[in-house]
Amino acid sequence: MIQDLLVYVVFMGYAIGVMLGIATLFTWVERKQSAIMADRIGANRAYIRIPFTNIKLVWMGLFHGIADGAKMLLKENFTPKTYDRFCFNLAPWLAAVPVLVVFAVIPFGGTIVPGDLIPALHDFFGSRSYTMQVANLDAGILVIMAISGIGILGTMLAGWSSNNKFSLLGAARAASQMISYEVSMGLAIICLVVTYGTLDLNQMVQWQSGTLFGFLPAWGIIVQPLGFILFLTAAIAENKRVPFDLPECESELVAGYFTEYSAMKMGLFMLSEFIEIVVVSALLVTLFLGGYNLPYMNDTGFVFPGGSTLAMSHLAVVVTQVVTFLVKVVLVGCFQIQIRWSLPRFRYDQLMRFGWKFLLPFAAVNLVVTACVRWLTL
Amino acid sequence: MKKEYWNKPTMGLWERLYIFEVIRGLCITGGVFFGNMWKWITFRKGALTAYYPEEIRSDYSPNNRGRHILTQRPNGEVQCVSCNMCATVCPAYCIEIQSTANFEDPFHPKAPDRFEIDYSRCIFCGFCVEACPEDAIRMSKDVPNLPGFDRTKMWAPQDLLMNWQPQRNPAKVYPSAQTSTQEVHP
Ligand code: SF4
Ligand code: SF4
């Protein structure tokens, strides 16, 4: 019992650390990547001076994240005279917490046997094994859908309780946008469930460690290419980032639903946006890109298409899986940032048309085709 | 009836499908990104912009109106006669002149004691140069290297204006000893 507790506390710490760490990293990556894409240099002014010397550490602007955080924490928390103080204070938490919770069901590594990993702990742990995942739920994917749907409540509450027309408009846009895209996202996920035949994220990853036609890694992106595009689009729309940033478009709505927020409350919205990049990347990696496994890899080692195998020690497997997961998440996150800085924003009617008349039919067709193929091959 | 716009985009099926055009756009931005990244990795500069105060661009136009220079007579005295024309014409009101009398020199009895330009307000219009009857103030091609955190430090005093040694000479030559002695007191 105490062993389980210990292991899960470690997992939780790791998950939160990874999310916040990578989210902070992404604030830097976003600045630098957009700068390099646009032939600029990027943020490079924040520095830390070594005390009593004149040496300024700039480190390519890495400290801008710290400067941001400090600024948001130290700024005056200006609140408008809202008529709903409770909702106003609740909204940032409702926006940030679900994003954090979603990560709980995402497996960031395969099975771990702490007793085998560290021989000194063998007596303590025995042969208990854990999947590297904070909450090992059978219906993980449903939990993700359910919880990420709560995030919109925070957005709507923020817009409503601010008593500001820009905020309200942003919130209304966010709500309608979320509903439109959650439908396609749900359909894309159902396709996956039909393909993998399970709701458990960990089993999905294990399914993807197999091969297709004997040589292709059976990743979701290969089995369900259309599903991948649909899910990616819907996920970016959920995240309210650029091609779909209607709820907070600066040119029309000041800052959209968080216009009236300042200091760390506004920081929570920003942070949750960046954490959501990480979570969406993790989801994409888990559902479509083979999760924590390299191609042809499973919990015991590599099984190459020719039939040759490469057994690996438990330690090597665990380390490879954890590192692979992180690398994949960062790469997919960079890809999202690339999308964010490449595409222009939709007009509102285009957004709705794109959601209902383009994505939804494609998702439905994809589902029908997937179901037929599955039925025939079963 | 739906309004028809004269600049209605003409899109074929390919553009209408959107996704392929998106991929093309991503390829373009990605190409730029990796091209620039490659330059950075190989220790070259992969950006068109400059680190401003540390790095001064080399491609300023020869006509660029940069920092001011107070010209000097051959004997090192400031050429300005403190007529206040530049301060009057200056649209930003950023020239401050305090005059002093110099009875030793009958040709130039009046000279500035303090001549300061507030670079936090100067708009580099060049009117002061146009207005000066004595060719005493000029603008060099180089930009004033004065970015700072304190606006009181952005005042350029007379010393600096006279002696900050432009990296390149301004377009016009300084008046030679001959021409400057030609002026006759009425
Ligand atoms: S350049 Fe224009 S603004 Fe600057 S000091 Fe001369 S007259 Fe004034
Ligand atoms: S710089 Fe020229 S215009 Fe200005 S006070 Fe001196 S002589 Fe007069």
Side-chain angles (χ1 to χ4, degrees):
Chain A
M1 199 57 223
I2 183 85
Q3 294 92 330
D4 295 1
L5 189 67
L6 263 180
V7 166
Y8 280 112
V9 164
V10 169
F11 283 173
M12 278 181 233
Y14 177 79
I16 291 176
V18 161
M19 263 189 298
L20 294 184
I22 300 187
T24 318
L25 185 72
F26 273 154
T27 59
W28 175 75
V29 170
E30 168 139 326
R31 284 189 172 123
K32 277 300 191 190
Q33 191 177 344
S34 64
I36 294 176
M37 270 165 59
D39 286 334
R40 289 182 285 117
I41 293 169
N44 62 348
R45 286 293 156 200
Y47 59 82
I48 287 181
R49 191 160 60 89
I50 299 177
F52 309 115
T53 61
N54 223 359
I55 301 171
K56 293 171 180 173
L57 301 178
V58 177
W59 284 0
M60 300 190 287
L62 259 177
F63 297 122
H64 274 271
I66 299 173
D68 278 349
K71 187 196 82 170
M72 282 183 214
L73 280 172
L74 297 176
K75 260 194 157 175
E76 182 197 356
N77 185 9
F78 180 84
T79 47
K81 286 199 166 55
T82 64
Y83 58 85
D84 204 337
R85 219 154 264 278
F86 175 70
C87 289
F88 187 81
N89 291 324
L90 183 68
W93 296 106
L94 263 187
V97 169
V99 183
L100 287 166
V101 172
V102 164
F103 201 83
V105 292
I106 296 175
F108 48 81
T111 319
I112 185 173
V113 188
D116 286 2
L117 204 60
I118 308 164
L121 293 178
H122 193 271
D123 292 341
F124 183 55
F125 280 106
S127 56
R128 288 158 191 271
S129 70
Y130 304 89
T131 47
M132 283 198 260
Q133 185 176 9
V134 176
N136 191 0
L137 300 178
D138 289 342
I141 193 101
L142 298 184
V143 172
I144 287 175
M145 287 300 284
I147 292 177
S148 65
I150 297 176
I152 179 59
L153 277 182
T155 312
M156 287 171 67
L157 265 188
W160 179 252
S161 63
S162 295
N163 197 8
N164 175 325
K165 289 177 185 62
F166 289 129
S167 309
L168 187 57
L169 214 52
R173 284 178 173 193
S176 49
Q177 174 177 325
M178 287 278 182
I179 292 167
S180 323
Y181 284 86
E182 203 122 289
V183 176
S184 324
M185 193 180 196
L187 284 181
I189 284 183
I190 293 175
C191 295
L192 280 186
V193 173
V194 169
T195 315
Y196 297 149
T198 173
L199 289 169
D200 188 344
L201 287 168
N202 205 21
Q203 280 174 28
M204 286 188 179
V205 174
Q206 273 153 19
W207 193 92
Q208 290 178 70
S209 69
T211 50
L212 210 63
F213 310 124
F215 68 98
L216 275 175
W219 284 7
I221 189 171
I222 292 164
V223 186
Q224 283 281 347
L226 189 56
F228 174 76
I229 292 170
L230 292 171
F231 187 87
L232 179 68
T233 318
I236 294 173
E238 289 266 311
N239 198 356
K240 305 185 280 296
R241 278 168 71 75
V242 151
F244 307 99
D245 74 334
L246 271 294
E248 52 185 271
C249 57
E250 289 94 351
S251 50
E252 302 155 31
L253 296 183
V254 190
Y257 59 91
F258 56 80
T259 304
E260 294 287 359
Y261 284 83
S262 51
M264 201 56 209
K265 290 212 185 79
M266 181 266 185
L268 262 184
F269 280 115
M270 294 297 279
L271 195 65
S272 73
E273 184 180 314
F274 278 97
I275 295 175
E276 193 149 347
I277 302 179
V278 183
V279 170
V280 166
S281 312
L283 261 179
L284 279 167
V285 166
T286 309
L287 295 176
F288 291 98
L289 297 173
Y292 45 77
N293 278 335
L294 287 170
Y296 314 121
M297 184 183 164
N298 57 33
D299 274 359
T300 50
F302 285 94
V303 183
F304 290 111
S308 56
T309 58
L310 176 69
M312 289 162 80
S313 71
H314 186 54
L315 178 67
V317 167
V318 167
V319 170
T320 318
Q321 285 176 337
V322 168
V323 171
T324 309
F325 184 75
L326 287 183
V327 169
K328 279 183 182 172
V329 166
V330 169
L331 286 183
V332 174
C334 289
F335 179 64
Q336 287 189 51
I337 291 173
Q338 174 98 13
I339 292 177
R340 185 241 179 277
W341 287 95
S342 298
L343 302 187
R345 179 192 300 148
F346 283 100
R347 212 169 55 214
Y348 199 67
D349 60 324
Q350 289 172 334
L351 178 90
M352 282 294 146
R353 192 176 326 129
F354 189 68
W356 289 107
K357 289 190 177 169
F358 190 84
L359 282 191
L360 190 62
F362 268 98
V365 167
N366 193 26
L367 178 59
V368 170
V369 170
T370 313
C372 290
V373 169
R374 179 79 179 161
W375 185 43
L376 291 176
T377 54
L378 211 59
Chain B
M1 203 189 81
K2 213 169 156 194
K3 191 170 185 311
E4 284 285 326
Y5 288 99
W6 61 271
N7 57 353
K8 202 163 165 290
T10 47
M11 292 199 290
L13 183 65
W14 185 260
E15 284 92 5
R16 255 171 224 292
L17 273 175
Y18 192 68
I19 184 77
F20 301 105
E21 288 293 300
V22 167
I23 293 171
R24 200 162 69 92
L26 286 177
C27 289
I28 292 171
T29 50
V32 175
F33 174 78
F34 285 113
N36 283 336
M37 201 65 195
W38 176 247
K39 281 193 192 158
W40 284 117
I41 289 172
T42 50
F43 302 104
R44 285 173 296 163
K45 194 170 157 218
L48 299 178
T49 48
Y51 284 103
Y52 165 55
E54 291 91 345
E55 181 187 356
I56 306 263
R57 286 174 58 162
S58 56
D59 55 346
Y60 279 115
S61 153
N63 303 331
N64 183 46
R65 294 194 293 264
R67 55 195 184 185
H68 299 80
I69 295 165
L70 285 185
T71 51
Q72 299 170 12
R73 299 204 191 93
N75 61 0
E77 290 287 309
V78 66
Q79 183 149 329
C80 171
V81 294
S82 201
C83 67
N84 235 16
M85 284 204 189
C86 53
T88 312
V89 79
C90 175
Y93 304 120
C94 64
I95 303 183
E96 299 261 327
I97 303 170
Q98 181 181 318
S99 317
T100 177
N102 179 9
F103 299 115
E104 318 296 65
D105 184 353
F107 290 104
H108 310 99
K110 202 177 167 199
D113 185 25
R114 255 183 57 219
F115 189 107
E116 297 185 0
I117 295 182
D118 182 0
Y119 275 111
S120 67
R121 285 161 66 191
C122 174
I123 57 171
F124 300 97
C125 60
F127 284 5
C128 47
V129 181
E130 300 287 329
C132 181
E134 291 287 317
D135 196 14
I137 188 164
R138 292 177 185 176
M139 289 173 103
S140 77
K141 183 180 151 185
D142 310 276
V143 287
N145 198 6
L146 289 167
F149 295 111
D150 188 352
R151 68 173 63 181
T152 57
K153 298 217 176 84
M154 299 177 78
W155 282 89
Q158 186 173 342
D159 268 8
L160 188 62
L161 288 172
M162 284 170 71
N163 300 317
W164 63 5
Q165 280 156 6
Q167 287 155 19
R168 293 167 212 79
N169 285 326
K172 293 182 273 187
V173 288
Y174 283 89
S176 67
Q178 225 170 11
T179 51
S180 67
T181 48
Q182 267 173 7
E183 56 185 295
V184 183
H185 199 257

